[in-house]
Amino acid sequence: MTRIVYVNGAYKRYEEAAVHVEDRGFQFADAIYEVIEVLDGRLVDATRHLARLARSLRELRIPAPMSDAALMLIIDQVIRRNRVRYGIVYMQVTRGAGPRDFALPPAGTPPTLVVLARSQRKGWSAVLAETGIGVKTIPENRWGRCDIKTVMLLPAVLAKDEARENGAKEAWFVDAQGNVTEGASSNAWIVTADGTLVTHPLDPQILPGVTRATVMDAAKLEGLKIEERAFSKAEALRSREAFVTSATNIVMPVVTIDGVPVGDGKPGPLAHRLRLRFHHVAEISAG
Ligand code: PDD
């Protein structure tokens, strides 16, 4: 349960935590966010998440609400005050509040910062990884800057709902060239017949996933070959394995695409290996 939330300089009771009705995050989705895994009370890959947060802010010219060191102190407090051992930290920064106007607010408008932490059942994703998940492909309909982690998530919300209606847990966006860009809230991977890991290159079509980066580190340490290139749904269906990566799922095997089995239709050994290696390679730090 989330009991305490940090909002703009104060620790508020969950029931009372709120931002202004004219917050630009609310009116324009003029906001960015991060999700960090909490593992045994500690943060997973905080440095990479804070670096991406800073980049998202820079790209949108939203002023940073505070230094990384100050933000880390707040994250630590929020984890402690909610007694989270296993779960996530969610933080969001908006361009602040003011009378609704497409024009950017005057310089000096303070950004809004919300930090909350939530417990999750320890090991839930490991249990899910034993059976793996299905994905549903959806035509790409997001904007051209998916490399920025904005809260403009309506296409992802609707894609996930369509996936759910079709008995799948995740959606994979497919672009006009027929290539899989990424999941609605994860990066997409396949393993070719010769054991090469393939994932979409970093460009404005995908989010530079922190888990993606750390899984690459793990794969290199394991001596695996990685190719950063686009792949189609047809290639994914011919592949040996498929999986998705995200801070919440770590490495999650994909066993069906649009109801068709990938490989033998069971979670693959490479996904399993990378999942087990992940937390040994990731940066684990005190909150
Ligand atoms: N989503 N691609 C998209 C579109 C995402 O929303 C996410 C993460 C990722 C994976 O990024 P990372 O490995 O840094 O978590 C890729 C988070 C978990 C969310 O929205 O809840």
Side-chain angles (χ1 to χ4, degrees), residues 33 35 52 149 182-187 207 209-211 245-247:
Y33 75 107
V35 177
R52 187 174 61 189
K149 200 164 173 59
E182 63 176 335
S185 63
S186 58
N187 289 110
L207 187 79
V210 167
T211 318
T245 56
S246 76

